[in-house]
Amino acid sequence: MSGQAMPCSPQEIASLFLFEKLSPEQLGRLCAEGRVERFEAGPVYTEGDPATCFYVMIEGTVVLFRRVGGDDVEVSRTSQRGVYAGAMQAYLGDRVPQTYTNSMRVTERTRFFVLPAQSFADFMQEWFPMAAHLLEGLFFGAKNTQRAIGQRERLLALGSLSAGLTHELNNPAAAAVRATATLRERVGKMRHKLAVISQGGYSRETIADLIEIQERTVERVAKAPVLSPLEASDREDELADWLDDHDIQEGWRIAPTFVQAGLDTDWLDQVAATVAEDILPAAIGWLNYSVETELLMDEIDDSTTRISHLVDAAKQYSQLDRAPHRVVDVHELLDSTLLMLSGKIGRRIRVVKDYDRSLPDVPAYPAELNQVWTNLIDNAVFAMGSAGGEGTLTVRTAREGDRLLVEFRDTGPGIPADVRSRIFDPFFTTKPVGEGTGLGLDISWRIVVNKHHGSLQVDSEPGDTRFQVLLPLTAPETETEAGTETETEAASGAETARATGTETAEEPA
């Protein structure tokens, strides 16, 4: 949008703090190549358009907006003379995209000194060559540093995840190994017992009865009820007394196995009624080995199934063999991340899943959302760990208008008000040295806001801290790879915008 051209006065330009140290000759060149324009209330330029001009406000009021999803979010409003915006990085040339990174409107009649972007770049290189080189080094150095440390943050997260996964895999793997070794021993004893029975002169009918009892016992093992510790203890006492009454040796050792298999005294009465009294001890021993074998095979099955689930969760978490952008069920992503981090969460932190399963799938970059979940869960666990290691982590999903909400709530000590506005800043961390790089929340913010056109916000008080991720339910008309580093903020309003979960932009400075 073009304003009304007005005379340019070097004296008036010199009254602006940005130009107060320039010589009369330099001020004259500014007026010769630039211009003063007056804008009525309305838009001045739009985010994403080619950055053709550098604007310095002489008088009036300006408001900056940033596009977040389908909305324009206000990030700055000021009436201070001399604030500037627009083509602020023209001096970097084509090494960065030369487009407006925000939209600017004026709320009243406002005058600007307007300088073409190329003239601004030329003046910077000619009048302030050392400053231009320092700014270039600062800009690109900061981006390179941020990229390198961001990569380190990802590697640290991967290392922590690998350690947790190894721990989780070790438990079922070790259980399967132990069960296999014990099973080998029990099968050997079963072979020995079978040899004893076959040499005992039992009739064919008796052996057939034993086999029939064995089959029915195995069927009961598969249907064994889950008993409380008190119920299991009472039943063990009953079975041990029954075995002692029937002169079965080591009844105290056999009873727990039978209870785990779902057997009771009524069942043992049926066994005693089926076989002769003289072979009852051998029959009980035979059934004990059969039950132990079934229980051990169940344990191996449970262990290997657990390993399979962990591998599936790792695959889901890393999104191997999947398109980088697709429609996903966020609950699957959340479950896989919680499973991958279960070792780190530990047993002293209670996890509550408050899912709205009626929510539709959403378009997303699933591997990157998993990284967001990891960072937020890790921070919550750390916060509760610093408060004694106990607490509750609640993961909630819900629908809010045309967006999907994912909320992580912890019962930690909360985020102090004096640092809350800085938690999304790159390299800012409240963790001890060596515990974090200060990029977890910054990376999460970029993934949610820049790449998914959503928002990330926090609400905190002692005992109740909530990080809320809001994702669009539908993809924007033009999907862009917007997850790269944002340009350097140039003023004080950026921190406030991030703290409230909105996109940031350069504030006029």
Side-chain angles (χ1 to χ4, degrees):
M1 175 180 176
S2 298
Q4 179 182 356
M6 303 184 69
C8 179
S9 167
Q11 290 75 23
E12 185 176 46
I13 297 303
S15 68
L16 304 174
F17 66 83
L18 194 63
F19 305 129
E20 61 185 1
K21 299 297 184 180
L22 297 184
S23 67
E25 179 184 357
Q26 291 172 324
L27 292 170
R29 288 190 60 186
L30 281 177
C31 274
E33 297 200 27
R35 60 190 183 274
V36 172
E37 291 188 17
R38 184 175 66 193
F39 290 81
E40 300 298 329
V44 177
Y45 62 74
T46 302
E47 179 181 350
D49 288 348
T52 58
C53 294
F54 178 66
Y55 294 84
V56 185
M57 190 179 75
I58 300 173
E59 61 179 355
T61 301
V62 299
V63 184
L64 293 185
F65 296 87
R66 195 70 188 269
R67 175 70 63 170
V68 179
D71 302 320
D72 285 327
V73 178
E74 179 179 329
V75 295
S76 178
R77 179 185 294 257
T78 182
S79 299
Q80 181 183 352
R81 291 185 78 246
V83 295
Y84 54 87
M88 295 170 58
Q89 291 159 357
Y91 66 93
L92 296 173
D94 58 5
R95 286 173 289 178
V96 298
Q98 292 297 334
T99 58
Y100 292 120
T101 57
N102 52 50
S103 298
M104 184 165 71
R105 298 176 62 89
V106 295
T107 59
E108 59 180 329
R109 180 175 291 180
T110 301
R111 285 194 304 135
F112 290 98
F113 172 69
V114 183
L115 189 63
Q118 187 57 54
S119 297
F120 174 60
D122 293 341
F123 289 153
M124 285 288 294
Q125 298 293 344
E126 179 182 347
W127 294 349
F128 314 106
M130 183 176 178
H133 287 304
L134 289 173
L135 287 172
E136 288 178 8
L138 178 63
F139 180 84
F140 291 110
K143 291 187 70 173
N144 291 336
T145 301
Q146 188 168 346
R147 186 180 298 110
I149 297 183
Q151 182 65 23
R152 180 176 180 271
E153 177 84 8
R154 293 181 177 91
L155 290 174
L156 287 174
L158 180 61
S160 176
L161 179 66
S162 299
L165 179 60
T166 301
H167 173 76
E168 290 298 310
L169 285 172
N170 181 66
N171 289 335
V177 170
R178 290 193 302 270
T180 302
T182 306
L183 179 62
R184 188 186 304 276
E185 176 187 351
R186 294 295 184 270
V187 170
K189 289 183 177 180
M190 282 187 67
R191 290 196 299 267
H192 174 72
K193 182 66 70 174
L194 180 61
V196 171
I197 291 176
S198 64
Q199 296 170 6
Y202 302 123
S203 67
R204 177 178 298 178
E205 291 76 12
T206 299
I207 294 177
D209 289 341
L210 286 174
I211 293 175
E212 193 269 336
I213 292 173
Q214 181 189 41
E215 293 298 324
R216 287 191 288 132
T217 301
V218 169
E219 290 178 2
R220 288 183 68 98
V221 173
K223 302 174 183 178
V226 178
L227 303 177
S228 68
L230 183 60
E231 291 173 332
S233 177
D234 291 342
R235 184 169 293 187
E236 286 177 13
D237 292 340
E238 293 176 3
L239 288 178
D241 291 341
W242 190 97
L243 293 171
D244 289 342
D245 293 342
H246 291 77
D247 298 325
I248 307 298
Q249 298 296 318
E250 295 185 330
W252 57 271
R253 185 182 63 81
I254 297 174
T257 302
F258 280 3
V259 170
Q260 186 179 355
L263 305 183
D264 52 22
T265 54
D266 291 340
W267 178 255
L268 293 182
D269 286 338
Q270 295 180 39
V271 174
T274 303
V275 300
E277 184 177 352
D278 60 326
I279 67 169
L280 180 61
I284 295 295
W286 170 254
L287 292 179
N288 180 51
Y289 290 139
S290 300
V291 168
E292 285 185 330
T293 300
E294 287 298 314
L295 293 176
L296 287 168
M297 287 192 293
D298 286 344
E299 184 177 349
I300 293 173
D301 181 67
D302 290 341
S303 298
T304 53
T305 300
R306 170 72 174 168
I307 292 173
S308 178
H309 287 167
L310 285 168
V311 172
D312 287 343
K315 186 175 181 180
Q316 171 75 13
Y317 181 87
S318 61
Q319 294 296 306
L320 294 175
D321 303 326
R322 304 208 179 196
H325 185 269
R326 63 185 183 89
V327 175
V328 298
D329 181 352
V330 294
H331 302 111
E332 291 182 359
L333 305 183
L334 291 167
D335 285 341
S336 67
T337 303
L338 287 168
L339 181 57
M340 298 304 293
L341 296 177
S342 58
K344 190 167 190 176
I345 293 173
R347 298 183 180 277
R348 301 181 66 186
I349 293 178
R350 177 169 171 256
V351 177
V352 176
K353 299 179 182 179
D354 183 9
Y355 292 168
D356 180 357
R357 293 287 186 178
S358 66
L359 292 171
D361 295 350
V362 296
Y365 296 86
E368 300 198 23
L369 282 185
N370 281 339
Q371 186 178 3
V372 174
W373 313 151
T374 299
N375 291 336
L376 298 181
I377 293 171
D378 181 72
N379 284 346
V381 171
F382 180 86
M384 288 184 282
S386 65
E390 295 184 349
T392 300
L393 171 65
T394 303
V395 183
R396 181 171 72 93
T397 62
R399 182 167 187 158
E400 290 199 0
D402 60 349
R403 297 194 291 179
L404 183 148
L405 167 69
V406 181
E407 180 182 79
F408 298 85
R409 178 183 181 185
D410 70 73
T411 56
I415 303 171
D418 58 336
V419 302
R420 200 173 302 158
S421 64
R422 303 181 58 196
I423 60 173
F424 294 105
D425 289 355
F427 311 117
F428 178 79
T429 180
T430 58
K431 295 179 180 179
V433 176
E435 291 288 339
T437 62
L439 282 177
L441 288 178
D442 173 60
I443 291 172
S444 299
W445 187 89
R446 293 173 187 276
I447 291 173
V448 172
V449 176
N450 287 356
K451 200 151 191 177
H452 289 85
H453 311 290
S455 66
L456 173 59
Q457 54 199 29
V458 62
D459 184 21
S460 181
E461 60 183 45
D464 186 6
T465 296
R466 307 184 186 197
F467 280 87
Q468 295 182 327
V469 177
L470 286 163
L471 300 172
L473 291 174
T474 56
E477 293 182 2
T478 304
E479 183 60 45
T480 60
E481 292 285 343
T484 58
E485 294 83 354
T486 59
E487 299 179 8
T488 305
E489 284 83 4
S492 59
E495 292 84 357
T496 302
R498 286 199 178 198
T500 56
T502 61
E503 178 69 273
T504 60
E506 296 89 343
E507 179 180 355

